[in-house]
Every structure is written in C-alpha cells, then in structure tokens.
Amino acid sequence: AQPAVMSSLWLVKVPRHLAESWQQQPSGHSLGVVEPGVKDAMGRDTYTLRTSAAPGGAGPSSGEAGGDVEYKLTLGAPTGGMYSFAPGGPDAPAGEMVLEGRVTAKGDVSAAG
C-alpha cells in the first residue's frame, strides 16, 4: 500500500457572523477570493479576503444586498506540529479518526481597515 499524501492546511479563526454566513451558503457556492498583501509589522503575511453576498441575500456583515465585503486575513507559522483530524467515513468503526493534514499556517480574519 502507498502512503497517503498529507494535505497542507490553514487554520483560520473567523468572526462568528462570517462563519454563520458561510455555513448557510449552498454547496458549490464560492465563499470568496483571497488576494495577497504585504507582511505586517510582526512579519506575518497579510491578505485581503473578499467575500460576496449570498445569491439574493445580504452581505455577511454589511447588511446591504449584493456587493463584496472585505476582510483582513493575517497568517503566520503555527507553533509546534499541528495536525487536523476528522471522524472516519460512514463505514468506519465508531470513534475512528482519520488524519486530514498538517497545519502549515495559522491566522485570523478581522474587519478590513
């Protein structure tokens, strides 16, 4: 058997209203676009996260119908070895966990400004 290829993951804390908005999006709907920025004063990479409103709905935080909403995404290296695990598939024994991947960046999303 060949060893599984481990995914490279970002662990990102997002504001509650944004997470709730994303959870309500239909399957296959784009959650947004990440555009590169510059390093901040602490040497972390920054990005602009541009999310669009749900089809026919209000933007995640703007309260306006349609249009894009911008957030600041800041990423740095995780401390120590961090990995993501998930419950096994529907046919897996109860309690079985599978390795999803290694966290290669850790950060947070905040209001742009």
Side-chain angles (χ1 to χ4, degrees), residues 15 17-18 47-49 51 60-61 69-73 109-112:
H17 68 273
L18 184 57
Y47 300 84
T48 297
L49 169 62
T51 64
S61 65
V69 181
E70 287 189 2
Y71 296 90
K72 178 181 176 183
L73 168 60
V109 170
S110 58

Side-chain angles (χ1 to χ4, degrees), residues 20-103:
E20 289 171 353
S21 172
W22 285 351
Q23 290 171 348
Q24 295 174 9
Q25 300 303 314
S27 179
H29 178 75
S30 173
L31 299 178
V33 175
V34 176
E35 298 171 351
V38 296
K39 292 198 180 289
D40 68 6
M42 296 175 59
R44 298 176 300 182
D45 293 322
T46 64
Y47 300 84
T48 297
L49 169 62
R50 188 168 287 112
T51 64
S52 56
S61 65
S62 67
E64 300 172 12
D68 289 345
V69 181
E70 287 189 2
Y71 296 90
K72 178 181 176 183
L73 168 60
T74 305
L75 291 175
T79 54
M82 295 182 75
Y83 298 86
S84 174
F85 295 88
D91 298 329
E96 180 178 87
M97 301 293 286
V98 295
L99 177 65
E100 288 189 318
R102 182 171 188 267
V103 176

